[in-house]
Amino acid sequence: MSRLWLLLLPLLLSSHAPAAAGAQEEPGVAECPGQRCGCAGGGAAGIPGLHGQLGAAGRDGRDGRDGSIGPPGPKGDVGNSAVDGAKGEPGFPGRTGMHGELGRPGQPGMKGDPGDCATMPKSAFTAKLSAPRPASGSPIKFDVILTNSGNHYDPSTGKFTCVHPGAYYFVMHACVYLAGVYANLKKNGEVVNRYHSAWVNGWNGVAVSGGSVLSLKAGDQVWLEVQDANNGIFVRSDIDSSFSGFLLSPE
């Protein structure tokens, strides 16, 4: 490159030297500094010009068409599970372990002997009168027995004697005819309830009835008794008067 400048330097100096005094330019001939001008009969070549500035970027071109899908590649080799993280094959199930000694159910025991069934004590009676208008001042003797479980009622005395302690229900039913009735239920000689029915003259007959629940201990006695000798308790072949009692619940 330096040798090229040495060759061009004399030419440059000669082309830029001032014209001789009195010299005149040929009419119609223009100067062409720095280059060989064809119109002047050929001069020396000028210095190369500088590179011009970059032009503006051109517009984007259109998108090309999608290419066709290529054929699938060959299947790769199975990687190492320890390196590649692939899931390994499942292992064989282990054997069932033995039961531990603690917590093991024992052998069933032998069946026991049947126990004794609890038995409900029984005590109940119903008795009727065989004759009307019983005597006053003493227990009414209901002497026709219908039921007498345990024989706790005595028809010869008209008294019930408790054998099984508990709650008992006693009830009286009597036909009333020709006179009123005042009947008392007594426990060990004390009046615990009173039953009354008045006689209405001209009526064929009325009835009196009533009941009581008593708590009895073993040995307690219960009976019915009328206050007046002229009482209207009546019986006939087709009419009954009765006294009943039974154990509700034992203690």
Side-chain angles (χ1 to χ4, degrees):
M1 187 71 180
S2 59
R3 296 178 66 183
L4 178 61
W5 278 106
L6 292 175
L7 293 175
L8 294 178
L9 181 59
L11 294 176
L12 292 174
L13 292 176
S14 62
S15 64
H16 285 80
Q24 295 182 353
E25 294 182 358
E26 294 183 4
V29 178
E31 292 185 358
C32 297
Q35 64 179 355
R36 184 180 298 273
C37 182
C39 62
I47 301 172
L50 301 174
H51 290 288
Q53 296 179 354
L54 294 177
R59 292 179 298 176
D60 295 336
R62 296 180 180 178
D63 294 335
R65 291 180 298 176
D66 294 336
S68 58
I69 300 174
K75 185 177 180 181
D77 296 333
V78 178
N80 189 339
S81 61
V83 177
D84 300 337
K87 185 177 180 181
E89 295 294 331
F92 294 102
R95 293 180 299 174
T96 304
M98 298 178 62
H99 290 287
E101 294 296 329
L102 297 178
R104 186 166 55 188
Q107 296 296 325
M110 297 179 61
K111 186 177 180 180
D113 297 331
D116 296 332
C117 296
T119 57
M120 173 74 176
K122 298 179 181 180
S123 182
F125 75 94
T126 293
K128 303 188 298 182
L129 277 176
S130 60
R133 299 179 179 83
S136 61
S138 60
I140 302 173
K141 298 177 182 179
F142 293 88
D143 53 348
V144 180
I145 299 295
L146 298 182
T147 300
N148 195 7
S149 176
N151 294 318
H152 301 154
Y153 173 75
D154 186 355
S156 64
T157 61
K159 294 181 179 182
F160 169 82
T161 301
C162 174
V163 175
H164 306 294
Y168 286 79
Y169 181 71
F170 297 94
V171 61
M172 168 191 177
H173 178 82
C175 177
V176 179
Y177 183 64
L178 297 178
V181 172
Y182 289 89
N184 298 328
L185 181 65
K186 290 188 173 183
K187 171 186 171 182
N188 298 331
E190 295 184 2
V191 177
V192 293
N193 208 346
R194 294 178 174 85
Y195 311 119
H196 170 255
S197 178
W199 163 250
V200 179
N201 193 13
W203 286 20
N204 292 332
V206 295
V208 59
S209 62
S212 300
V213 176
L214 303 180
S215 179
L216 303 181
K217 300 188 299 291
D220 289 342
Q221 291 185 320
V222 179
W223 66 86
L224 278 171
E225 192 174 303
V226 291
Q227 295 183 189
D228 301 323
N230 185 23
N231 62 81
I233 294 180
F234 187 73
V235 295
R236 200 171 59 186
S237 60
D238 57 344
I239 297 173
D240 291 318
S241 295
S242 62
F243 180 41
S244 300
F246 55 89
L247 177 63
L248 286 174
S249 59
E251 291 182 354

